[in-house]
Amino acid sequence: MICDDIESLAAMLPASGALAGIDFGTATIGVAASDARRRVASPVKTIRRTKLGKDVSALMAICAPREVVGMVLGLPLNMDGSEGPRCQATRAFARVVARSTELPVAFWDERLSTVAAERALLEADMSRRRRGQVIDHVAASYILQGALDRICHLGTT
């Protein structure tokens, strides 16, 4: 099921259980996960994209052992808030994921999440090569942390 907003997702969630954050890109999918109390997002893995079915299977394989109860998918809005071709691709991916699982999926504005992740990795003095290996799942953790903070503010957890 695809939720219209984070508030709808929060209303559907059980009292505890991890959420997954997803940064869907053209070549990779960054994945992050929260703790069961939904307070902290942590980077998990970057999936190299192949075929859509295999990509979704790889995502589900990451989520299952973490007992994920919902997903937050970064929506790459343009800086003016409009939706472009990347948003359309992300929404199409969400529909495929929703057909593959009963977990609720919601979108979160991911503008500047990769910039924030890059800045954090630069501050950590990480090499360019290593940044390239982790940037996507670090960006996914920024996306997820924003959604977790909003859910916490709603007082639903």
Side-chain angles (χ1 to χ4, degrees), residues 87-142:
C87 282
Q88 293 171 1
T90 300
R91 289 187 184 279
F93 179 71
R95 288 190 295 273
V96 173
V97 169
R99 285 193 299 265
S100 303
T101 182
E102 292 183 16
L103 297 177
V105 178
F107 297 104
W108 186 257
D109 181 355
E110 73 162 57
R111 282 180 281 189
L112 301 178
S113 62
T114 302
V115 172
E118 180 83 20
R119 185 172 294 138
L121 295 173
L122 283 169
E123 288 175 10
D125 201 26
M126 192 171 286
S127 71
R128 180 185 306 254
R129 179 170 175 243
R130 182 70 179 135
R131 283 195 314 267
Q133 295 169 343
V134 302
I135 189 70
D136 296 310
H137 56 275
V138 172
S141 72
Y142 272 84

Side-chain angles (χ1 to χ4, degrees), residues 56-78:
V56 172
S57 293
L59 176 60
M60 293 301 128
I62 292 169
C63 292
R66 290 172 175 78
E67 299 179 353
V68 166
V69 297
M71 297 183 180
V72 177
L73 186 57
L75 191 63
L77 297 169
N78 294 324

